[in-house]
Amino acid sequence: MNRLAVELPGLKLKNPIMPASGCFGFGKEYANFYDLSVLGAIMVKATTIESRFGNPTPRVAETAAGMLNAIGLQNPGLEKVYSEELPWLEQYDVPIIANIAGSKVEDYVVVAEKISTAPNVHALELNISCPNVKEGGIAFGTVPETAAHVTKEVKKVSSVPVYVKLSPNVTDIVSIAKAVEAAGADGLTMINTLLGMRIDLKSRQPILSNGMGGLSGPAVKPVSIRMIYQVSQEVNIPIIGMGGVTKAEDVIEYFLAGASAVAVGTANFVDPTICPDIIEELPGLLDKMKVGHITELIGGSWKTEWVAQS
Amino acid sequence: MNRLAVELPGLKLKNPIMPASGCFGFGKEYANFYDLSVLGAIMVKATTIESRFGNPTPRVAETAAGMLNAIGLQNPGLEKVYSEELPWLEQYDVPIIANIAGSKVEDYVVVAEKISTAPNVHALELNISCPNVKEGGIAFGTVPETAAHVTKEVKKVSSVPVYVKLSPNVTDIVSIAKAVEAAGADGLTMINTLLGMRIDLKSRQPILSNGMGGLSGPAVKPVSIRMIYQVSQEVNIPIIGMGGVTKAEDVIEYFLAGASAVAVGTANFVDPTICPDIIEELPGLLDKMKVGHITELIGGSWKTEWVAQS
Amino acid sequence: MRKLDGVVTKHEQIAEKIFELTIQNENIDASFKPGQFLHLKVGAGMDPLLRRPISICDIDEKTNELKMIYRVEGRGTEVLSKTVYGEKLNVLAPLGNGFPLDEAEQGQTALLVGGGIGVPPLYYVSKELKKRGVNVVHVNGFQTGNSVFYEREFSELGPTFIATVDGTTGTKGFVTDVIEQENLDFDMVFTCGPIPMLKAIEQRYHGKKKVFLSLEQRMGCGIGACFACVCHVQEDPAGASYVKVCSDGPVFPSGEVVL
Amino acid sequence: MRKLDGVVTKHEQIAEKIFELTIQNENIDASFKPGQFLHLKVGAGMDPLLRRPISICDIDEKTNELKMIYRVEGRGTEVLSKTVYGEKLNVLAPLGNGFPLDEAEQGQTALLVGGGIGVPPLYYVSKELKKRGVNVVHVNGFQTGNSVFYEREFSELGPTFIATVDGTTGTKGFVTDVIEQENLDFDMVFTCGPIPMLKAIEQRYHGKKKVFLSLEQRMGCGIGACFACVCHVQEDPAGASYVKVCSDGPVFPSGEVVL
Ligand SMILES: Cc1cc2nc3c(=O)[nH]c(=O)nc-3n(C[C@H](O)[C@H](O)[C@H](O)COP(=O)(O)OP(=O)(O)OC[C@H]3O[C@@H](n4cnc5c(N)ncnc54)[C@H](O)[C@@H]3O)c2cc1C
Ligand SMILES: Cc1cc2nc3c(=O)[nH]c(=O)nc-3n(C[C@H](O)[C@H](O)[C@H](O)COP(=O)(O)OP(=O)(O)OC[C@H]3O[C@@H](n4cnc5c(N)ncnc54)[C@H](O)[C@@H]3O)c2cc1C
Ligand SMILES: Cc1cc2nc3c(=O)[nH]c(=O)nc-3n(C[C@H](O)[C@H](O)[C@H](O)COP(=O)(O)O)c2cc1C
Ligand SMILES: Cc1cc2nc3c(=O)[nH]c(=O)nc-3n(C[C@H](O)[C@H](O)[C@H](O)COP(=O)(O)O)c2cc1C
Ligand code: FES
Ligand code: FES
């Protein structure tokens, strides 16, 4: 029995660990450190119709136990991703989750229709929550109706299941989650980054040339855990959790909150082998917790079956 | 010239540093460490009509560069605060900002009317953003209309200027800020805590007995800086900034973002003399930045007068 | 109650996951009482953020040294265990009220009951009682033999019994089993350890003997300002009355606090 | 490109705020090239979170040691400066492409121009060029005399000129002033330092000499995955074309990157 195997719409994962979108490029760099086939899946960098340079630099700034980024969806564009990046990844036995972005609904539809036909793309991740682009991005993700609308349109054309990536920068995350579920989303991924800023004392200007940026890393984990705890009790589609994961214990915390798989973002920059390291540590941790299969932990903090032995 | 003096509605501050509400009790404990008269002001613990025990323990949990709390507005109630706690503070030459809370609008009105007559209370801080109570609290702070309503009612009865404390757990902080400004708020304090959660691997339950709690400390600073940057450009009332301040540099960052004074919360727990330490460091930092008076820095990141020399 | 930097003069592992750590500072002296604790900053940065409460295990007035014993539990104590000789540790100390040693008179017998990391403060209690001519009897409980510490040190002060849950050392079972089996006789109890142990002791001896319990509670400030560590009181178990473990405690007479 | 733990074998301050740090690991050898850098984890916890890029200043193949020189700027380098002998530092190394030493032929003269903390990598460049029979001339610029370092070390390899902004040591002014005043003659330039300096050098010598510039940029991953460190290219200055300083650089020929 593989105690770490998880099955989600479109995804048979040998383990529930995957790099988060934008924190792993299209995998090439990390392939220098380990065999990408050990991963549960890979969430590749956001793809837009046209290639994008993104925002001016500086694009990253450090914060206490976190970082801000304002990359601005830099990517080589749909054609190149489809004809070069994704085929390169076919050498690995690992399902790809394609993160797609745009500035209007039609952009999402165009990218979704094409990219979902790539043989190794097993699911889409609708990025309606990127805080780093002027148009679209986060705007779609903060209003239930628009979030539902883009979900519905993408569902119509996608050949693979569609996961919607939620923004934490909202008053009521549950209502957004329910709206995209009703619109046909097969799963949720949460959370994208929190909107933040740092100001440089010397220049007296924001450190990021874009002004604001997205906060990620360990600092945001409690916010993400809280949101997954809230949402997982109100929807019937699975959640891929992310935000500040740096160790196997964090993965378990996400499962207990209600996630069915976990993505690792910022921590890849700190430690390039973090994903395989976590995968290796998980079985020992399950032993310690006397858990047979990791899926038994999903929603464990609010499901009542289990009673702590003291 | 006192380079740190700041004047705000109701408040002549000898310096812009004050402990944040709930992180300093009513001052007694910290008076063992230093003379409270060195402080710019003191934001005392939230006061409700009746005494409250608050939530069951555990009430605090640590997070990466932050902490969660779910104290639940424990306080001895209006009468005792008015007749014992506030008079005790009169021995110090320091203005008090009374933080008031309730579960319905009338509660706020009752507390505001009475507490604002205490001789050393120079301003009120309307806590419409406490995430740790079932009724009222945060509910008031996430909808512009209700936030405006409670502000207006309190303004009617208060004998001192009213500052409204905003919740960061909202999609659009600017609209809330504008609503309370229009309702007559004399100033804003921001931010209260971000809603978060941690789950214990052994018990498989949230660490806080209350489930969720409020995230504070250095982890949240970038979110607060961003919100103050956004709000200060859209309102004409001053902002007292808070969230993760641990050093003089943070104070300057808050000023540059648009704050006119700064409160220190969680850091008091880590270092009981943090407030006087920061006050002492500030003049040297102003020298280094070639700034005469600290007020010159307010909004410096978005006002255009100053051009960095390189 | 002050903030001070203690220089590490000794740091060694004395049992499984158990470390003994000694710090020195000119302000450390006999004004640090048995049962009081330190609030200790671990590491230089903002992670871990909060201080950790650790009991005073012993004071050497002559050398201005303070000893503590701690178990590696989570991240904070893990980082602490890496501290080396000569490093500085920032502490708030002494905090809390300590055990009321004056309740024990010369010639009386005090029973000291410790459980796990509740054992360390009782060493200083025992030493001070002994000095005052009080007879001391110790019953210390641990999970297993590997985690037993200070058996010899306690024995030098008075009769010392060990209980381990798995029976690998001493009596198999709980401290209360030992007290009964050994038919111990005493005038008062000073105890520190996990809540179930404190409850058992309170149930058995409250009203019959003088009993003083030292509690643990998650803390923020450690000095009474944040209301993290409050407990209901038995007089008003569901009301707004409370005590704070950090500043009203950590030691309370039995019957006062809802455990 | 690997992740490895380097043991600190030497660490000392060599000028105001400037530290020289030597680490050892069996994988450190001649495959670490001049101009490449390390991405260094500072401290054990999550604060500071990101790695810091630091250039390779020298390699000792025989002892498997790597030397770096850094200036205390902010929190990360402040924490780094507290590292003691025997501690382990985790690094990703070697990263980036390094200077194209093959562009210099035996008997030619290479001008090495360093500014501030751009000086260290040029030491290793100079040593390697010298080995290959290339003549090396150094012009190093600093803010002030107190921050000057490695003057002797560079002098042992070839003529060495110092410029300080305030004139406290060497020529008062910028490195470009020195080059002109001294009427230096050379076949190519290898340079590393602040952007204004790189711009000045590119403007003066691009098209006339071979010029190679080493850039700095805020980094996330350091290995090409996060797109934090991209620059526009001169061929397409406003378009979507780019290079990454971490993996395509940090060294680029003049004329390639928009500075
Ligand atoms: C008054 C008092 C005296 C104590 N004396 C000792 C002693 O002498 N020796 C010893 O080994 N331990 C003692 N403890 C317990 C000790 O404080 C905890 O084991 C320690 O804080 C755990 O920190 P951590 O970072 O390893 O664990 P983590 O689980 O990572 O800590 C996370 C947070 O929870 C808090 N926490 C976790 N466990 C406890 C606990 N049992 N009590 C209070 N807070 C906790 C931590 O302080 C921290 O804020 C005492 C506790 C109190 C309240
Ligand atoms: C390829 C390369 C090689 C370098 N080699 C050296 C060297 O040999 N010696 C040396 O002293 N310095 C070198 N630097 C600069 C060094 O990386 C920064 O001084 C250092 O990161 C500052 O960290 P801090 O924590 O002290 O400052 P902080 O300001 O606290 O750092 C905050 C964040 O900004 C980043 N940052 C700040 N300044 C710089 C900078 N100038 N360049 C890149 N990132 C920065 C930090 O890495 C960190 O992520 C190099 C930079 C690069 C890109
Ligand atoms: C540098 C960087 C780039 C990112 N780019 C994307 C992106 O292209 N698409 C996306 O959906 N999320 C993107 N994210 C968000 C992450 O996928 C993830 O949701 C977030 O960082 C929280 O996880 P973490 O704390 O583990 O990093 C990016 C994050 C970072 C730090
Ligand atoms: C333990 C604790 C108790 C708090 N109690 C209150 C309160 O009673 N009223 C209130 O308005 N804010 C309260 N806050 C929020 C703080 O005043 C402050 O807004 C927040 O902690 C952010 O600042 P910091 O990061 O410096 O702590 C509390 C915060 C903490 C950590
Ligand atoms: S720990 Fe803050 S009141 Fe006790
Ligand atoms: S630092 Fe990540 S791509 Fe260069």
Side-chain angles (χ1 to χ4, degrees):
Chain A
M1 186 194 65
N2 177 351
R3 305 161 71 188
L4 299 181
V6 173
E7 235 175 282
L8 303 177
L11 300 164
K12 281 194 188 205
L13 309 176
K14 49 180 128 30
N15 64 67
I17 306 303
M18 58 192 85
S21 179
C23 302
F24 207 71
F26 292 92
K28 285 208 177 81
E29 295 77 17
Y30 291 94
N32 290 323
F33 287 91
Y34 60 91
D35 175 5
L36 304 185
S37 300
V38 306
L39 296 168
I42 298 176
M43 295 169 134
V44 292
K45 189 145 184 49
T47 300
T48 53
I49 301 182
E50 305 295 341
S51 70
R52 287 176 56 98
F53 179 80
N55 292 318
T57 58
R59 295 173 168 192
V60 297
E62 201 180 43
T63 70
M67 69 177 278
L68 293 167
N69 89 81
I71 305 295
L73 299 182
Q74 178 159 27
N75 79 93
L78 178 58
E79 272 315 313
K80 203 158 170 205
V81 170
Y82 192 86
S83 62
E84 294 179 22
E85 304 291 357
L86 292 172
W88 183 85
L89 279 164
E90 281 182 42
Q91 64 184 296
Y92 298 102
D93 172 29
V94 59
I96 306 301
I97 303 176
N99 185 281
I100 68 177
S103 51
K104 23 186 210 317
V105 175
E106 300 83 73
D107 297 350
Y108 285 93
V109 170
V110 170
V111 180
E113 181 155 22
K114 170 111 189 212
I115 213 167
S116 67
T117 65
N120 53 348
V121 169
H122 292 221
L124 300 187
E125 183 182 38
L126 265 194
N127 181 356
I128 56 166
S129 46
C130 179
N132 296 324
V133 288
K134 293 236 154 41
E135 299 191 317
I138 203 169
F140 286 109
T142 53
V143 182
E145 292 71 28
T146 53
H149 177 59
V150 60
T151 305
K152 201 174 286 173
E153 296 303 310
V154 166
K155 272 300 284 181
K156 282 186 196 155
V157 300
S158 173
S159 341
V160 296
V162 175
Y163 291 71
V164 179
K165 185 159 186 177
L166 302 187
S167 168
N169 302 290
V170 297
T171 310
D172 180 6
I173 188 91
V174 172
S175 67
I176 315 247
K178 283 181 158 172
V180 301
E181 178 182 36
D186 299 283
L188 302 171
T189 66
M190 53 194 289
I191 55 172
N192 211 317
T193 52
L194 273 163
L195 210 47
M197 180 183 273
R198 278 210 54 194
I199 297 171
D200 181 51
L201 263 53
K202 270 188 209 145
S203 69
R204 303 192 187 176
Q205 297 301 306
I207 294 185
L208 300 178
S209 67
N210 199 44
M212 303 184 227
L215 181 64
S216 63
V220 309
K221 198 185 74 174
V223 175
S224 182
I225 292 282
R226 180 265 293 186
M227 290 185 163
I228 291 171
Y229 177 87
Q230 292 178 307
V231 168
S232 61
Q233 298 181 57
E234 301 285 339
V235 300
N236 293 304
I237 50 177
I239 299 172
I240 302 176
M242 63 194 77
V245 173
T246 66
K247 52 186 189 294
E249 283 79 3
D250 295 334
V251 173
I252 304 293
E253 202 174 338
Y254 269 98
F255 269 71
L256 291 171
S260 300
V262 166
V264 181
T266 304
N268 290 290
F269 308 154
V270 181
D271 185 349
T273 63
I274 189 80
C275 287
D277 290 352
I278 288 177
I279 293 165
E280 221 166 276
E281 279 165 32
L282 275 173
L285 191 51
L286 292 181
D287 287 345
K288 218 170 114 184
M289 295 182 72
K290 303 200 171 72
V291 171
H293 198 283
I294 194 163
T295 51
E296 295 164 28
L297 295 171
I298 299 169
S301 65
W302 49 266
K303 288 180 185 160
T304 47
E305 289 110 60
W306 188 83
V307 178
Q309 259 87 40
S310 83
Chain B
M1 185 193 64
N2 177 351
R3 305 162 69 188
L4 300 181
V6 172
E7 232 174 287
L8 302 179
L11 301 164
K12 281 195 188 208
L13 309 176
K14 50 180 127 26
N15 64 66
I17 306 302
M18 59 192 84
S21 178
C23 303
F24 206 72
F26 291 91
K28 286 208 178 79
E29 294 77 17
Y30 291 94
N32 290 322
F33 287 92
Y34 60 90
D35 175 5
L36 303 185
S37 300
V38 305
L39 296 168
I42 297 177
M43 295 169 135
V44 292
K45 192 147 181 52
T47 300
T48 53
I49 301 181
E50 305 294 341
S51 71
R52 287 176 57 99
F53 180 79
N55 293 315
T57 57
R59 295 172 167 194
V60 297
E62 201 181 45
T63 70
M67 69 177 280
L68 292 168
N69 89 81
I71 306 296
L73 300 182
Q74 179 158 25
N75 79 92
L78 177 59
E79 272 315 313
K80 202 159 168 201
V81 169
Y82 192 86
S83 62
E84 295 179 22
E85 304 290 358
L86 292 172
W88 183 85
L89 279 163
E90 281 181 44
Q91 64 185 295
Y92 298 102
D93 172 29
V94 59
I96 306 300
I97 302 175
N99 185 279
I100 68 176
S103 51
K104 23 188 211 316
V105 175
E106 300 81 76
D107 297 350
Y108 286 92
V109 170
V110 171
V111 180
E113 182 155 21
K114 169 111 190 213
I115 213 166
S116 65
T117 64
N120 52 349
V121 168
H122 293 220
L124 300 187
E125 183 182 37
L126 265 195
N127 181 357
I128 56 166
S129 46
C130 179
N132 296 325
V133 287
K134 291 232 154 42
E135 297 188 319
I138 201 167
F140 286 109
T142 54
V143 182
E145 292 72 27
T146 54
H149 178 58
V150 61
T151 306
K152 200 173 289 173
E153 297 303 311
V154 166
K155 271 300 286 181
K156 283 185 196 156
V157 300
S158 174
S159 344
V160 296
V162 175
Y163 292 71
V164 179
K165 185 158 186 177
L166 303 187
S167 167
N169 302 290
V170 298
T171 310
D172 181 6
I173 188 91
V174 172
S175 67
I176 315 250
K178 284 181 157 170
V180 302
E181 179 183 35
D186 299 285
L188 303 171
T189 65
M190 50 193 293
I191 57 176
N192 211 316
T193 51
L194 273 162
L195 210 46
M197 180 182 272
R198 278 209 55 195
I199 297 172
D200 181 53
L201 264 53
K202 271 187 207 144
S203 69
R204 302 193 188 176
Q205 297 299 308
I207 294 185
L208 300 178
S209 68
N210 199 43
M212 303 183 228
L215 181 64
S216 63
V220 309
K221 198 186 74 176
V223 174
S224 182
I225 292 282
R226 181 264 294 184
M227 288 184 163
I228 290 170
Y229 177 87
Q230 291 178 308
V231 168
S232 61
Q233 298 180 57
E234 303 283 340
V235 299
N236 294 305
I237 49 178
I239 299 171
I240 303 177
M242 62 195 75
V245 172
T246 66
K247 53 184 189 294
E249 283 80 2
D250 296 334
V251 174
I252 305 292
E253 201 174 338
Y254 269 96
F255 269 71
L256 291 171
S260 300
V262 167
V264 181
T266 304
N268 289 291
F269 308 153
V270 180
D271 185 349
T273 63
I274 189 79
C275 288
D277 291 351
I278 288 177
I279 293 165
E280 220 166 277
E281 280 165 32
L282 275 173
L285 191 50
L286 292 181
D287 288 344
K288 218 169 113 182
M289 293 182 74
K290 304 198 171 72
V291 172
H293 199 283
I294 194 163
T295 52
E296 294 164 28
L297 295 171
I298 300 169
S301 64
W302 50 266
K303 287 181 186 160
T304 45
E305 291 109 60
W306 188 82
V307 178
Q309 260 85 39
S310 83
Chain C
M1 173 160 49
R2 328 160 148 254
K3 187 174 76 170
L4 42 89
D5 278 327
V7 179
V8 175
T9 53
K10 203 170 152 205
H11 194 185
E12 59 183 22
Q13 187 162 0
I14 58 172
E16 199 178 333
K17 294 196 167 192
I18 305 282
F19 290 76
E20 187 188 68
L21 172 61
T22 308
I23 58 172
Q24 185 181 48
N25 178 292
E26 53 180 15
N27 292 301
I28 292 172
D29 58 27
S31 68
F32 288 55
K33 299 291 179 201
Q36 289 189 304
F37 66 100
L38 318 175
H39 214 26
L40 203 138
K41 178 79 184 95
V42 172
M46 289 179 254
D47 173 53
L49 183 69
L50 297 173
R51 289 174 180 266
R52 287 350 192 215
I54 300 287
S55 302
I56 299 171
C57 169
D58 199 8
I59 294 287
D60 188 331
E61 290 182 67
K62 289 192 219 86
T63 59
N64 300 116
E65 282 178 314
L66 180 157
K67 199 176 284 178
M68 52 197 129
I69 293 179
Y70 65 92
R71 182 165 68 207
V72 172
E73 283 287 330
R75 211 173 116 56
T77 45
E78 172 74 36
V79 174
L80 182 61
S81 72
K82 305 277 191 283
T83 316
V84 298
Y85 178 85
E87 264 187 80
K88 278 181 185 161
L89 282 173
N90 190 269
V91 299
L92 306 181
L95 303 182
N97 60 4
F99 283 98
L101 302 188
D102 293 343
E103 297 283 342
E105 283 164 33
Q106 196 172 350
Q108 285 190 315
T109 300
L111 179 67
L112 311 192
V113 186
I117 50 167
V119 170
L122 297 175
Y123 180 68
Y124 189 23
V125 173
S126 183
K127 258 184 61 175
E128 287 299 308
L129 287 175
K130 186 93 194 271
K131 251 193 221 164
R132 295 160 182 235
V134 177
N135 302 314
V136 285
V137 180
H138 315 104
V139 181
N140 291 335
F142 300 89
Q143 279 300 319
T144 180
N146 291 342
S147 46
V148 176
F149 58 89
Y150 261 41
E151 192 175 355
R152 187 178 52 76
E153 285 81 349
F154 277 101
S155 301
E156 285 169 5
L157 299 170
T160 300
F161 303 89
I162 305 289
T164 54
V165 177
D166 63 4
T168 41
T169 299
T171 307
K172 182 176 159 80
F174 298 105
V175 288
T176 42
D177 300 332
V178 176
I179 302 172
E180 271 154 34
Q181 282 170 30
E182 302 287 337
N183 224 332
L184 296 178
D185 192 29
F186 49 90
D187 302 290
M188 70 234 5
V189 189
F190 296 105
T191 182
C192 182
I195 292 288
M197 187 190 100
L198 301 184
K199 272 190 181 160
I201 305 241
E202 178 168 85
Q203 260 168 24
R204 276 181 179 73
Y205 305 112
H206 179 58
K208 299 180 192 134
K209 311 272 181 188
K210 290 189 195 166
V211 180
F212 298 93
L213 316 154
S214 182
L215 308 193
E216 276 183 21
Q217 186 63 272
R218 293 206 171 219
M219 290 186 178
C221 65
I223 61 172
C226 76
F227 292 82
C229 67
V230 298
C231 295
H232 282 290
V233 295
Q234 294 192 9
E235 269 189 359
D236 177 24
S241 313
Y242 63 89
V243 291
K244 296 177 199 159
V245 170
C246 70
S247 51
D248 299 317
V251 179
F252 298 95
S254 63
E256 180 166 343
V257 176
V258 178
L259 294 178
Chain D
M1 172 161 49
R2 327 158 151 256
K3 187 174 75 169
L4 42 89
D5 278 328
V7 180
V8 175
T9 54
K10 205 171 151 203
H11 194 184
E12 59 183 22
Q13 188 163 359
I14 58 172
E16 198 178 334
K17 293 197 167 192
I18 305 284
F19 289 76
E20 186 187 67
L21 173 61
T22 308
I23 58 171
Q24 185 180 47
N25 177 292
E26 51 179 17
N27 292 302
I28 292 172
D29 58 26
S31 68
F32 287 55
K33 300 290 180 202
Q36 290 189 304
F37 67 101
L38 319 176
H39 213 25
L40 202 138
K41 180 77 183 96
V42 173
M46 290 180 256
D47 173 52
L49 182 69
L50 297 174
R51 289 173 180 267
R52 289 342 194 220
I54 301 286
S55 301
I56 299 172
C57 170
D58 199 9
I59 294 288
D60 187 332
E61 290 182 69
K62 290 191 217 85
T63 59
N64 300 115
E65 282 178 314
L66 180 156
K67 198 176 284 178
M68 51 196 130
I69 293 179
Y70 65 90
R71 181 166 67 209
V72 172
E73 283 286 331
R75 211 171 117 57
T77 45
E78 172 75 36
V79 174
L80 183 61
S81 72
K82 305 277 190 281
T83 317
V84 299
Y85 178 86
E87 265 189 79
K88 278 180 184 163
L89 283 174
N90 190 269
V91 299
L92 306 181
L95 303 183
N97 60 6
F99 282 99
L101 302 189
D102 294 344
E103 296 283 341
E105 284 165 34
Q106 196 172 348
Q108 285 190 314
T109 300
L111 179 67
L112 312 193
V113 185
I117 50 167
V119 170
L122 297 174
Y123 180 67
Y124 189 23
V125 173
S126 183
K127 256 183 64 173
E128 288 299 307
L129 288 173
K130 185 97 197 265
K131 250 194 219 165
R132 294 161 183 234
V134 177
N135 303 315
V136 284
V137 180
H138 316 104
V139 181
N140 292 334
F142 300 89
Q143 280 299 319
T144 180
N146 290 344
S147 47
V148 175
F149 58 88
Y150 262 41
E151 190 175 356
R152 188 177 53 74
E153 285 81 351
F154 276 103
S155 301
E156 285 169 6
L157 298 170
T160 300
F161 303 90
I162 304 288
T164 54
V165 176
D166 63 3
T168 41
T169 300
T171 306
K172 181 175 161 80
F174 298 106
V175 289
T176 42
D177 300 333
V178 176
I179 302 172
E180 271 156 32
Q181 281 171 28
E182 301 287 337
N183 222 333
L184 297 177
D185 191 30
F186 50 90
D187 302 291
M188 71 232 6
V189 188
F190 296 105
T191 182
C192 182
I195 292 287
M197 188 189 100
L198 301 184
K199 273 190 181 157
I201 304 240
E202 180 169 86
Q203 260 168 24
R204 278 183 177 70
Y205 304 113
H206 179 57
K208 300 182 189 130
K209 311 272 179 187
K210 291 189 197 166
V211 180
F212 299 94
L213 316 155
S214 182
L215 307 193
E216 274 183 21
Q217 184 64 273
R218 294 207 169 217
M219 292 186 178
C221 65
I223 61 171
C226 76
F227 291 82
C229 66
V230 298
C231 294
H232 282 290
V233 295
Q234 295 193 7
E235 269 189 358
D236 177 24
S241 314
Y242 63 89
V243 290
K244 296 176 198 157
V245 170
C246 70
S247 51
D248 300 319
V251 179
F252 298 95
S254 64
E256 182 167 340
V257 175
V258 179
L259 291 178

